[in-house]
Amino acid sequence: MECLIGIKFKDFVLIAADMTTAHSIMVMKNDEHKIHKISEKLVMAVSGESGDTTQFSEYIGKNIQLYKMRNGYELSPRAAACFTRRNLADYLRSRTPYFVNLLMAGYDDITGPELFFIDYLASCVSVPYAAHGYGGFFSLAIMDRYHKLDSTEEEAYNLMKMCVREIQKRLIVNLPNFKVQKVSKDGIKDLDSITAKSLAVEDAAKS
């Protein structure tokens, strides 16, 4: 029921994750942070079993920081994605697999912005845009229609709002709040969260 959305552009990547934590039929929190900072220009959005998401994201983050301390430089987004996929694959073949779905967004000084789609079966692919969860049923078609590689930050944010608006309109599950971050050559930047309230105010202003 959770939703992660990632969109890559020419100079940056936008990544969004819902902030809802649910257990069975109950909503426990509406302010959960599912996007984790891995390094100065790399973030990882995680969904899945609540214990697995916390433990796996911390494990990957700490090991990538350990690599930087030992070698004096950070892993590139592609190398970090391969490291994450390998660990996920190893645990999948053990008695304690992690049930997590991931989007890794980063910026490499040589290759530019990168976005990787990784699922709980340890498949990993570089994509221009991606989504995890039921929200992807509604947002992928919008991204396919309106995604432009050379979009500005404002245009990219509006595209993300279109995706969230459609999810909140059509998905039976209530996902009122989405945290949004931008990853570029300048590092990680928090953008305004997209909420049902902010979208309602915007729609009222237009009408």
Side-chain angles (χ1 to χ4, degrees):
M1 298 299 182
E2 298 170 284
C3 184
L4 310 176
I5 304 171
I7 317 175
K8 180 174 74 172
F9 299 94
K10 190 172 80 170
D11 298 319
F12 59 91
V13 184
L14 279 194
I15 193 160
D18 77 277
M19 302 174 72
T20 302
T21 299
H23 180 70
S24 183
I25 61 171
M26 293 183 293
V27 174
M28 311 301 288
K29 293 177 70 179
N30 269 322
D31 57 356
E32 180 74 13
H33 293 288
K34 299 177 184 178
I35 305 177
H36 304 273
K37 179 181 177 181
I38 303 301
S39 63
E40 293 303 314
K41 297 179 182 178
L42 180 66
V43 298
M44 181 169 70
V46 190
S47 66
E49 295 291 338
S50 57
D52 287 358
T53 56
T54 302
Q55 189 171 347
F56 188 74
S57 58
E58 288 182 357
Y59 174 79
I60 294 298
K62 300 303 181 187
N63 273 279
I64 289 177
Q65 288 300 315
L66 178 62
Y67 182 91
K68 179 184 176 182
M69 292 167 63
R70 284 177 172 172
N71 297 278
Y73 60 92
E74 294 180 341
L75 284 173
S76 68
R78 183 172 292 276
C82 289
F83 172 77
T84 303
R85 192 212 72 81
R86 177 58 192 266
N87 276 277
L88 205 52
D90 288 343
Y91 279 107
L92 186 66
R93 290 157 178 81
S94 72
R95 292 176 178 237
T96 56
Y98 286 104
F99 185 75
V100 293
N101 294 304
L102 316 166
L103 290 179
M104 294 194 79
Y107 188 91
D108 186 275
D109 293 330
I110 298 173
T111 60
E114 297 272 12
L115 176 65
F116 293 92
F117 174 97
I118 307 172
D119 68 8
Y120 72 100
L121 295 174
S123 61
C124 177
V125 62
S126 176
V127 289
Y129 49 82
H132 277 298
Y134 287 132
F137 295 164
F138 310 104
S139 57
L140 283 173
I142 293 172
M143 291 186 281
D144 187 50
R145 172 66 179 83
Y146 295 104
H147 176 256
K148 294 179 181 176
L149 199 61
D150 57 351
S151 297
T152 64
E153 181 181 323
E154 183 180 359
E155 291 170 339
Y157 187 70
N158 286 334
L159 175 58
M160 189 67 79
K161 284 200 290 188
M162 287 175 64
C163 295
V164 173
R165 181 181 278 112
E166 199 68 15
I167 291 168
Q168 292 176 346
K169 178 181 179 182
R170 300 201 177 274
L171 189 62
I172 193 170
V173 182
N174 182 31
L175 300 175
N177 304 322
F178 278 76
K179 181 178 177 62
V180 185
Q181 287 189 337
K182 171 189 171 185
V183 187
S184 66
K185 64 180 181 181
D186 300 319
I188 301 164
K189 175 185 175 184
D190 283 326
L191 301 183
D192 291 337
S193 295
I194 303 173
T195 66
K197 184 177 180 180
S198 68
L199 291 177
V201 170
E202 186 177 306
D203 292 341
K206 286 180 181 178
S207 60

